[in-house]
Amino acid sequence: MNVCIVGTGYVGLVTAACFAEMGSNISCVDVNEDVVEGLKDGHVHIYEPGLETLVKRNYAEGRLDFTTSLAEGLKDARVVFITVGTPSDDQGNCDLSYVDAVAREVGQLMDSPKIVVDKSTVPVGTADRVRGIIREELDKRGVDIDFDVVSNPEFLKEGDAVNDFMKPNRVVVGTESEESAEILKELYAPFARSREKLIVMGVRSAEMTKYAANCMLATKISFINEVANICERVGANVSEVRMGIGSDVRIGYHFIYPGVGYGGSCFPKDVKALIGTAREYGYDARLIKAVDTVNDDQKVVLAQKILDYYEPQGGVAGKTLGLWGLAFKANTDDMREAPALELIRVLTSKGMKVKAYDPIAWERAAEILQGNDLVEIAKDEYEALEGTDCMAVVTDWNQFRNPDFERIKELLKAPILFDGRNLYGPKQMGEAGFAYFSIGRLPVKP
Ligand SMILES: NC(=O)c1ccc[n+]([C@@H]2O[C@H](COP(=O)([O-])OP(=O)(O)OC[C@H]3O[C@@H](n4cnc5c(N)ncnc54)[C@H](O)[C@@H]3O)[C@@H](O)[C@H]2O)c1
């Protein structure tokens, strides 16, 4: 099948590469010339395990191509995926300007029947809006070309996106048209060989499903963070509590890891967007608002522990923190809404220096943090600790899980560790001679 994918970011490029791998012919369109030229040269501009191999192979074999011209991308395409960004606007609502721009251009350029698929995460009602924009442009041209607008939200997670796309739990398709559903079923068939994965539903339900899923996951994270904060105060250990509740199949172990709050390009904006949609329809989404507030507060919990520790010694000004991890989670270079940025903002505003290391996100982080003279980016995790007063861990990269604590002690001025991911055990750290502060567990002070 000939498919056009508009927007070659985390979602668009993964979708394109995986469809191409299964034999479809994919034309990827992006407005960013550097990205398009880079992809043609085999340079994949985002970090996603396994993606580069797929992109290079399918480009070389002619099933995947890249262009800045939507006219070119649309030429032979039966299906057009919109996978551009939908960031938050100033009010926290979903900014649909990129989606609108693509819809307008599709209406201006299409010359054969199309199924236009909203894969970007978009508020309920966006398919109707996209349909209206395309219809308006066709009317302006005085032409009547058959088209449908379908919702097909994406559930992949950064860091494991190729795997998620190749083996989806489900493929949600929102459409009233049997023909559109059949065509998408055909396109997704190679990803559903073990069992039927397509769940066909109304367009609005499909749009809502994506927000409901992300808000549910965000709720689990804020819930366990709140439980962790209570645990600390009452002398309970959240890791033990997690085991105790996760063993109940109605609760499960997934997404109940306490930490420094959720970040990334999806949960924060999608939680805010659903609050905004509800407000627009006259409903006060109290629970989801609380999820958002708890998360905002959680992002400063670790920084506060550091401030509290140094307060009796005259504060953090002039002290240096060795920081492990910058990305919002492991296995990604995505720095959007990364809790590390909030930690750095709070601590450097009080005069603390930060020497930070991240295996993949360091380059993006360096660009974002440019201009903050108190921040230095280190080349590896041990260099980040050289001559620092204490250390903190905020991203759960595998290579941080079992470090050389003796070497760490030699590098730090004093063995003080603030663990925002509960990667280590309080008993283990106490025995290793560290002052150790984690989330939802009592501190260890030798
Ligand atoms: N990143 C994720 O993990 C994830 C997961 C599921 C859903 N989503 C949703 O998918 C959408 C895309 O997210 P992303 O992270 O891939 O975004 P991204 O920012 O990585 O990529 C968007 C791409 O669209 C391009 N673009 C913008 N306007 C364009 C236009 N008019 N024509 C062609 N290209 C254009 C940009 O240049 C960019 O390369 C969002 O709605 C997001 O919420 C993201």
Side-chain angles (χ1 to χ4, degrees):
M1 194 178 304
N2 291 332
V3 176
C4 172
I5 297 195
V6 191
T8 54
Y10 290 89
V11 168
L13 191 58
V14 169
T15 304
C18 293
F19 280 154
E21 180 73 6
M22 296 300 178
S24 291
N25 292 314
I26 311 296
S27 182
C28 287
V29 183
D30 203 290
V31 284
N32 188 328
E33 277 178 31
D34 292 341
V35 165
V36 168
E37 285 314 310
L39 285 165
K40 285 180 169 179
D41 286 342
H43 173 71
V44 175
H45 60 297
I46 51 174
Y47 175 78
E48 201 53 66
L51 182 60
E52 192 169 307
T53 312
L54 287 186
V55 169
K56 283 184 174 165
R57 178 167 57 232
N58 285 283
Y59 180 67
E61 292 173 5
R63 288 185 299 273
L64 185 59
D65 207 353
F66 305 101
T67 176
T68 52
S69 158
L70 184 60
E72 198 180 306
L74 286 179
K75 210 163 40 175
D76 302 316
R78 179 73 183 95
V79 185
V80 184
F81 280 85
I82 302 180
T83 57
V84 296
T86 49
S88 291
D89 68 14
D90 304 344
Q91 311 296 314
N93 295 319
C94 180
D95 173 1
L96 282 171
S97 57
Y98 301 99
V99 172
D100 289 354
V102 176
R104 198 160 295 290
E105 235 191 310
V106 168
Q108 288 161 355
L109 296 169
M110 63 187 264
D111 55 10
S112 59
K114 307 282 178 218
I115 296 173
V116 177
V117 184
D118 286 342
K119 191 175 252 320
S120 296
T121 304
V122 288
V124 175
T126 303
D128 292 340
R129 176 181 170 124
V130 165
R131 190 175 288 116
I133 294 172
I134 295 175
R135 169 70 51 216
E136 194 181 304
E137 292 303 321
L138 291 177
D139 288 349
K140 276 191 210 162
R141 291 165 59 195
V143 295
D144 186 17
I145 306 170
D146 190 37
F147 74 97
D148 188 24
V149 179
V150 170
S151 167
N152 170 222
E154 182 49 56
F155 298 97
L156 63 75
K157 52 185 179 305
E158 280 176 24
D160 203 17
V162 170
N163 206 21
D164 283 345
F165 199 95
M166 290 293 195
K167 295 179 197 144
N169 298 130
R170 77 301 208 187
V171 175
V172 169
V173 172
T175 180
E176 319 302 335
S177 153
E178 270 179 36
E179 190 194 351
S180 298
E182 274 310 309
I183 288 175
L184 284 187
K185 191 172 178 179
E186 190 187 319
L187 185 61
Y188 276 107
F191 307 95
R193 293 185 58 202
S194 58
R195 62 174 171 86
E196 185 52 79
K197 303 268 179 86
L198 221 70
I199 305 175
V200 181
M201 58 178 77
V203 178
R204 285 179 177 245
S205 301
E207 291 170 333
M208 186 67 190
T209 296
K210 175 64 190 178
Y211 284 99
N214 275 1
C215 287
M216 178 72 215
L217 296 172
T219 301
K220 287 187 92 172
I221 296 172
S222 277
F223 173 79
I224 199 68
N225 282 334
E226 187 145 277
V227 168
N229 293 334
I230 300 171
C231 280
E232 273 176 30
R233 285 158 178 82
V234 300
N237 176 331
V238 73
S239 301
E240 293 170 358
V241 173
R242 181 184 165 272
M243 298 302 286
I245 62 172
S247 52
D248 183 333
V249 289
R250 294 170 303 174
I251 298 171
Y253 293 106
H254 294 296
F255 267 78
I256 53 167
Y257 288 95
V260 285
Y262 57 77
S265 63
C266 292
F267 289 176
K269 83 170 171 64
D270 293 349
V271 165
K272 287 186 171 60
L274 189 56
I275 295 167
T277 301
R279 191 189 312 116
E280 213 179 291
Y281 285 79
Y283 184 77
D284 183 17
R286 289 155 299 166
L287 177 63
I288 306 171
K289 274 159 80 176
V291 167
D292 191 39
T293 308
V294 168
N295 194 61
D296 283 346
D297 293 350
Q298 195 66 22
K299 281 185 170 183
V300 295
V301 161
L302 198 68
Q304 194 56 51
K305 285 178 195 282
I306 298 171
L307 295 176
D308 290 347
Y309 181 84
Y310 285 106
E311 202 199 25
Q313 304 168 38
V316 295
K319 300 264 188 274
T320 306
L321 171 73
L323 180 60
W324 282 9
L326 289 159
F328 83 92
K329 65 171 186 178
N331 296 323
T332 183
D333 59 348
D334 201 340
M335 284 299 299
R336 290 177 279 191
E337 305 269 346
L341 294 175
E342 187 59 9
L343 175 105
I344 291 171
R345 188 191 65 74
V346 171
L347 295 177
T348 57
S349 75
K350 304 278 184 197
M352 191 173 210
K353 291 184 200 148
V354 177
K355 260 175 103 175
Y357 169 70
D358 188 285
I360 296 288
W362 67 270
E363 217 168 344
R364 273 176 204 254
E367 279 170 32
I368 296 167
L369 294 163
Q370 219 176 19
N372 187 339
D373 297 338
L374 293 174
V375 182
E376 188 187 325
I377 304 291
K379 289 193 186 66
D380 68 55
E381 60 263 56
Y382 293 104
E383 189 192 288
L385 305 182
E386 272 169 26
T388 60
D389 293 274
C390 62
M391 70 174 285
V393 186
V394 293
T395 314
D396 49 344
W397 285 99
N398 278 343
Q399 72 196 69
F400 300 157
R401 286 181 190 275
N402 206 1
D404 181 344
F405 287 114
E406 283 310 309
R407 189 168 167 200
I408 290 174
K409 271 166 74 177
E410 282 165 23
L411 293 167
L412 294 173
K413 284 187 196 157
I416 308 161
L417 200 164
F418 297 89
D419 182 356
R421 295 286 183 172
N422 288 0
L423 291 191
Y424 319 117
K427 189 162 171 280
Q428 164 203 18
M429 297 312 295
E431 284 166 7
F434 279 79
Y436 177 70
F437 303 84
S438 56
I439 306 292
R441 305 182 299 187
L442 289 177
V444 175
K445 296 175 191 166

